[in-house]
Amino acid sequence: MAAKRKDFIDILIQQGVISLDQVSEAQEMAQSTGMKLQQALETLGYADSEEITTAIAREHGIESINIRNETIPPAIIEMLPESVARENCVIPLCEIGDTLQVVISDPNDIETIDKLRFILNRPIDLVLAPHDHIVESINQHYGQTFAESADTLISEMTDTAIDFTETEDTS
């Protein structure tokens, strides 16, 4: 009989990243706020996104990478429409034969994985990276979004301290 694979919490405890008391506190926070346990661990500062992602990858028997160190060829980026990448927070990484390796942050997101298989109409191989690192990579390889550009413009306008509330009385 095969040994049961450990979940990411067991892996983090075994590695000495977190303690049982920290897990209990994070579980309480997750229950009271509705956030995921990994989010609570990160919010409380008990584990960072890379440690959590690596443990989740080990739990699922898949690879985790530092997407910040990857340069993805334009031909690979073009295989996945930007709208799909942004909506699902995924990015194509490379081709291995007929299989496209795709970076995702949640290997339990079966809906997204099925959607990718349908859209791409080919086998995919998952690799894990933290959500915020994937967003950075999407912005780097596809370009900044209009919303981000608008936020930057608004920020720049408010930083100039122009008072738009004063109007000239024309009566």
Side-chain angles (χ1 to χ4, degrees):
M1 180 176 212
K4 182 182 180 292
R5 194 176 280 154
K6 294 182 178 184
D7 76 359
F8 81 98
I9 293 296
D10 293 332
I11 294 166
L12 290 172
I13 291 170
Q14 182 181 27
Q15 293 175 339
V17 175
I18 58 174
S19 69
L20 287 172
D21 290 340
Q22 291 170 329
V23 172
S24 295
E25 185 180 349
Q27 286 172 329
E28 288 176 23
M29 179 184 208
Q31 282 182 329
S32 67
T33 62
M35 66 174 57
K36 290 183 176 182
L37 181 57
Q38 50 264 49
Q39 247 183 315
L41 287 167
E42 194 173 345
T43 300
L44 291 167
Y46 296 149
D48 63 35
S49 61
E50 291 89 359
E51 293 167 324
I52 293 168
T53 299
T54 300
I56 292 171
R58 270 189 66 194
E59 171 188 1
H60 291 273
I62 58 180
E63 181 185 355
S64 68
I65 63 163
N66 184 345
I67 189 75
R68 291 173 167 167
N69 294 338
E70 299 291 330
T71 301
I72 305 167
I76 299 295
I77 291 295
E78 291 172 5
M79 292 180 172
L80 188 68
E82 179 180 0
S83 60
V84 175
R86 289 192 187 283
E87 178 184 330
N88 300 286
C89 195
V90 297
I91 191 162
L93 182 63
C94 65
E95 266 186 305
I96 302 169
D98 188 35
T99 302
L100 184 63
Q101 204 168 48
V102 178
V103 184
I104 190 167
S105 64
D106 182 1
N108 294 316
D109 187 352
I110 303 303
E111 184 178 327
T112 295
I113 295 165
D114 287 345
K115 184 189 309 183
L116 289 172
R117 284 189 178 114
F118 178 78
I119 290 169
L120 296 167
N121 194 26
R122 64 187 307 173
I124 61 170
D125 184 31
L126 300 178
V127 180
L128 292 191
H131 183 272
D132 56 326
H133 296 192
I134 297 171
V135 171
E136 289 172 18
S137 188
I138 290 170
N139 289 338
Q140 175 188 349
H141 290 91
Y142 288 100
Q144 294 288 86
T145 65
F146 174 76
E148 289 168 335
S149 300
D151 289 344
T152 302
L153 180 61
I154 290 169
S155 174
E156 288 171 0
M157 288 177 66
T158 56
D159 288 345
T160 59
I162 298 171
D163 186 2
F164 292 105
T165 58
E166 289 184 26
T167 57
E168 191 175 311
D169 188 12
T170 58
S171 42

